[in-house]
Amino acid sequence: MRYAVLRSVGDGSAFPRGRVGRRLRRAAHLSLVGTTLLIGGATAPVQPSQARTVAALPEAGSAADPGAPARPVAAWNDFCARYPAECTVDLAEPAVITLTPTVWHTLTTVNRRVNARIKPITDMAHWGVVDRWDFPDDGFGDCEDIQLLKRRMLAERRLPRRALRMTVVIDEIGEGHAVLMVRTDRGDLILDNKTNAVLPWQRTGYTFVKREGQDGKAWVSLNNGTSPVTTANR
C-alpha cells in the first residue's frame, strides 16, 4: 500500500515580516495541527512493525483430515534409503506449528527464494529416469526436489520437520505433483513451485491424494483417491 505525503510548498515568504508575520505563521501552524487532530492524528500512529504483524497472517483455515495408511511412491523409498534422516519421524517434535508473523515470513520467503533459485527440469532430462526424489543442489530439479529443498531449509530454520510433510496431489492438468504441506494451528498451508503464494490447501485447486504420516514412516491417504505412480511433473 502506498501512502501520500503532503509537503508544504514555498519558503513562507508570503507572510508579512516582523512580529505580525510570526504571529500569522504560528496561527497557521496551530490551524494545521488542529486539522490533523480532527482527521485522526490524535490517535497513536501504527508503527510499520505493528502493521506487518496485523496484516501478515492469513485467515485461519482447516486441516486436511488424514485417512487410511497409504504407500508412498517408489521414488520416496529410494530417497529414504539414501537419506534416512530425512524420513525419520521424531515424535518429540510438535505435529503442528504455531503460525506467528515470523514463521509466516519464513515460509513465504523460503518458498519464493527456492522457486526463483531452482530451474525446473524433468527427472528424465536431469537423471535419466522417470522419477527420482533428490535435492536440487546443482540448481535443477522438478516439483518434489524443489519441495525437499524447502523442507530442508525450513528445518535448518528450526521449524519442526514433523510438521513439514511431503504431499502428493493431482494437479490442474490431471498429473501427479508434489507439494510441501506445512501443518499449522491456522490450517494446513501449501508450498508449491508453481506459485510463490503460500496457500491454504483448499485454495490450491489440487486433488489431495496422500502425504507423509506424522507418527511413523507410513504415509496416509487424504481423499482415498487413486494414487499417481510418479510425480515427474515440473
Side-chain angles (χ1 to χ4, degrees):
M1 182 179 293
R2 296 182 180 180
Y3 296 90
V5 178
L6 296 178
R7 299 181 59 187
S8 60
V9 179
D11 59 2
S13 60
F15 288 104
R17 296 184 180 183
R19 182 179 301 176
V20 174
R22 286 194 297 272
R23 288 180 177 176
L24 289 174
R25 284 194 292 270
R26 178 174 175 80
H29 173 73
L30 292 175
S31 176
L32 179 60
V33 170
T35 301
T36 302
L37 294 175
L38 286 175
I39 64 174
T43 60
V46 177
Q47 299 299 320
S49 60
Q50 293 174 318
R52 286 195 299 270
T53 298
V54 172
L57 295 180
E59 293 183 3
S62 64
D65 293 330
R71 291 184 179 181
V73 295
W76 170 260
N77 295 326
D78 180 64
F79 172 80
C80 291
R82 287 179 284 114
Y83 303 97
E86 294 289 330
C87 305
T88 301
V89 178
D90 183 358
L91 297 179
E93 289 186 333
V96 172
I97 296 171
T98 299
L99 190 64
T100 64
T102 298
V103 170
W104 175 247
H105 176 74
T106 298
L107 295 179
T108 56
T109 299
V110 167
N111 190 57
R112 183 177 62 255
R113 288 181 178 174
V114 174
N115 287 350
R117 169 181 165 188
I118 305 302
K119 294 181 171 51
I121 188 174
T122 64
D123 284 333
M124 183 59 70
H126 195 192
W127 307 108
V129 295
V130 173
D131 198 23
R132 175 187 171 102
W133 290 40
D134 211 328
F135 292 110
D137 292 332
D138 60 356
F140 297 89
D142 67 353
C143 55
E144 69 273 356
D145 307 328
I146 295 172
Q147 315 321 328
L148 286 168
L149 176 58
K150 293 174 187 176
R151 189 176 73 157
R152 184 172 70 182
M153 291 176 63
L154 292 172
E156 290 171 350
R157 286 157 175 76
R158 301 184 182 277
L159 270 65
R161 190 185 303 273
R162 189 182 178 201
L164 310 173
R165 300 288 84 185
M166 292 295 293
T167 303
V168 173
V169 303
I170 302 296
D171 68 6
E172 74 282 358
I173 59 176
E175 294 185 355
H177 182 51
V179 296
L180 181 63
M181 178 180 288
V182 181
R183 311 213 68 206
T184 81
D185 61 348
R186 297 178 68 89
D188 293 338
L189 303 174
I190 301 300
L191 276 63
D192 189 0
N193 61 295
K194 293 188 177 187
T195 176
N196 287 333
V198 176
L199 297 173
W201 69 278
Q202 310 99 311
R203 293 181 53 195
T204 61
Y206 297 152
T207 298
F208 282 73
V209 179
K210 56 188 176 182
R211 65 166 169 80
E212 291 180 81
Q214 294 185 290
D215 300 316
K217 291 185 178 181
W219 284 41
V220 293
S221 62
L222 294 174
N223 72 346
N224 295 317
T226 302
S227 175
V229 177
T230 69
T231 56
N233 183 340
R234 288 187 293 172

